[in-house]
Amino acid sequence: MSRFWSPFVKDLVPYVPGEQPKLDNLIKLNTNENPYGPSPKVLDAIRAQLDDGLRLYPAPNADALKDTIAGYYGVTSAQVFVGNGSDEVLAHIFHALFQHGKPVLMPDISYSFYPVYCGLYGIEAQLLPLAEDFSIRPEDYRQANGGIIFPNPNAPTGMLLPLAGIEQILQANPDSVVVVDEAYVDFGGETAIALVDRYPNLLVTQTLSKSRSLAGLRVGLAVGHADLIEALERIKNSFNSYPLDRLAIVGAVAAFEDQAYFETCCQAVIDSREQLSTALAQLGFEVLPSAANFVLARHPQRDAAQLAAGLRERRVIVRHFRLPRIEQFLRITVGTPEQNQALLDALGDLLNG
Ligand SMILES: *Cc1c(COP(=O)(O)O)cnc(C)c1O
């Protein structure tokens, strides 16, 4: 705190990202990064961009990337927004499309950045409890609201809401923007982008950070009705004209163009997730059914904070949230088969010791 701070900053409650440890001999299963590197074609595209051209500003509207994404999903470029990571895209959505005076609805267990954006933009958040089995109940989203947002698959539960459930929420809320945050959809979900032409109130966000192994490049996107996209462009062009740099634009285009590599990596993560879930269950864990690149798991006889600390001593880091309902769970990112085995060995050691 300093006397130079505005009263607004004094009351802000920022998001706390997962640790990025300085030590490099750790097995890092705490922030849902992809264990496999980006496509070699992405690296080639970025290398080819490393020249005198960097003295020039990038294309302010990243049209090459918007066109690529539009072609990939069968929508028009006017239905696509891109930003510096989907976190930035989400921030603009809260700013541009959520109404004040009524609460924005979200699950009680979901991405903890959403309430932070509510705080930043002066929006009231209303957290609706997930069902006992941690699923989203579409029928709960039938109350007055200034907007609705949830991840699908949900994070940190990993659980998927089928498209029929999303349509139920859309139909009950024709006067609100409904945002489906698909950060993990490529690991086993079905994208709601297929619904955007039928629901002008639907906005779908995605990121290249997880399924396309590019968390370090910072690229996110939104797809929806052109009117929703225009609102986001108005915010973006009042904030930062160049959120995507030259390297990010060419890298992201190349990522969408290498479908074979993308599919191979996603399938490897999905296969590992199923093996990891089975192995955790054999160690006595209760594992929520995951459609993401992480699992949320609880051991009925062991304290989650102690398990997380014990894993850390054994050089494996996972995420533990000190939050109601999930404080006895660990969120474990799916790693390579070797990383998963190291985690399982460390857990076996902890449970037997
Ligand atoms: C990782 C994540 C994001 C943020 O992705 P970036 O594109 O890296 O900013 C957004 N939403 C959810 C639910 C996430 O887990």
Side-chain angles (χ1 to χ4, degrees):
M1 239 260 261
S2 143
R3 67 194 169 91
F4 299 113
W5 286 16
S6 77
F8 177 73
V9 167
K10 191 164 61 65
D11 295 332
L12 268 188
V13 184
Y15 176 73
V16 183
E19 182 190 357
Q20 293 294 342
K22 303 272 178 317
L23 306 167
D24 49 357
N25 56 351
L26 290 178
I27 295 182
K28 191 175 176 308
L29 303 177
N30 68 329
T31 51
N32 298 344
E33 288 134 332
N34 202 305
Y36 303 106
S39 154
K41 291 180 182 161
V42 168
L43 302 182
D44 286 346
I46 292 174
R47 273 187 211 104
Q49 193 68 16
L50 287 173
D51 59 24
D52 281 357
L54 283 181
R55 106 197 139 68
L56 301 171
Y57 283 106
N61 294 315
D63 287 321
L65 178 56
K66 285 186 180 182
D67 294 347
T68 299
I69 295 167
Y72 188 87
Y73 283 118
V75 296
T76 67
S77 296
Q79 290 174 288
V80 179
F81 181 79
V82 292
N84 188 253
S86 62
D87 285 341
E88 183 185 83
V89 175
L90 290 166
H92 291 345
I93 290 169
F94 277 72
H95 208 173
L97 296 169
F98 286 162
Q99 306 296 319
H100 294 230
K102 288 183 216 161
V104 168
L105 308 180
M106 60 190 74
D108 62 338
I109 301 165
S110 86
Y111 190 33
S112 44
F113 223 137
Y114 303 153
V116 173
Y117 292 132
C118 283
L120 178 61
Y121 295 117
I123 298 166
E124 188 194 334
Q126 187 173 342
L127 278 53
L128 302 182
L130 295 175
E132 202 61 35
D133 68 355
F134 292 102
S135 61
I136 290 175
R137 282 182 300 228
E139 59 271 25
D140 291 347
Y141 292 76
R142 289 181 180 277
Q143 43 191 296
N145 66 75
I148 295 174
I149 186 164
F150 53 90
N152 196 43
N154 196 5
T157 65
M159 287 174 61
L160 186 72
L161 177 66
L163 283 191
I166 291 176
E167 284 205 72
Q168 235 179 297
I169 295 175
L170 287 163
Q171 284 164 7
N173 294 278
D175 300 322
S176 304
V177 173
V178 176
V179 180
V180 183
D181 176 351
E182 294 188 337
Y184 302 102
V185 77
D186 296 322
F187 300 109
E190 193 183 347
T191 178
I193 289 177
L195 303 176
V196 297
D197 285 333
R198 280 170 36 220
Y199 296 97
N201 58 328
L202 169 62
L203 194 61
V204 178
T205 65
Q206 293 190 357
T207 175
L208 279 71
S209 297
K210 279 71 182 238
S211 59
R212 296 181 195 272
S213 310
L214 289 170
L217 201 64
R218 311 305 305 132
V219 184
L221 60 108
V223 178
H225 192 285
D227 289 348
L228 302 183
I229 301 304
E230 191 186 332
L232 299 177
E233 296 292 351
R234 290 176 70 117
I235 295 281
K236 173 247 173 196
N237 289 317
S238 306
F239 180 80
N240 178 3
S241 309
Y242 308 104
L244 293 195
D245 61 55
R246 287 174 165 267
L247 309 183
I249 293 170
V250 295
V253 167
F256 275 101
E257 287 173 350
D258 196 350
Q259 181 68 9
Y261 184 87
F262 166 72
E263 283 176 13
T264 304
C265 285
C266 287
Q267 195 55 52
V269 170
I270 291 167
D271 293 345
S272 291
R273 176 187 71 217
E274 296 312 306
Q275 285 166 13
L276 177 62
S277 299
T278 304
L280 286 170
Q282 282 164 354
L283 286 174
F285 282 87
E286 195 183 295
V287 187
L288 297 190
S290 171
N293 68 338
F294 59 84
V295 295
L296 193 68
R298 179 179 89 97
H299 196 286
Q301 281 95 39
R302 296 303 180 106
D303 179 67
Q306 284 177 13
L307 281 179
L311 284 173
R312 212 197 146 86
E313 283 165 17
R314 288 161 179 77
R315 304 199 169 284
V316 180
I317 50 176
V318 299
R319 192 98 193 249
H320 173 241
F321 297 95
R322 283 177 207 281
L323 292 174
R325 294 188 79 182
I326 56 166
E327 64 202 339
Q328 285 308 325
F329 283 85
L330 298 176
R331 192 198 65 188
I332 305 168
T333 304
V334 176
T336 61
E338 296 72 28
Q339 291 175 318
N340 297 339
Q341 193 54 53
L343 164 87
L344 292 165
D345 290 346
L347 279 174
D349 196 32
L350 276 166
L351 294 171
N352 296 324

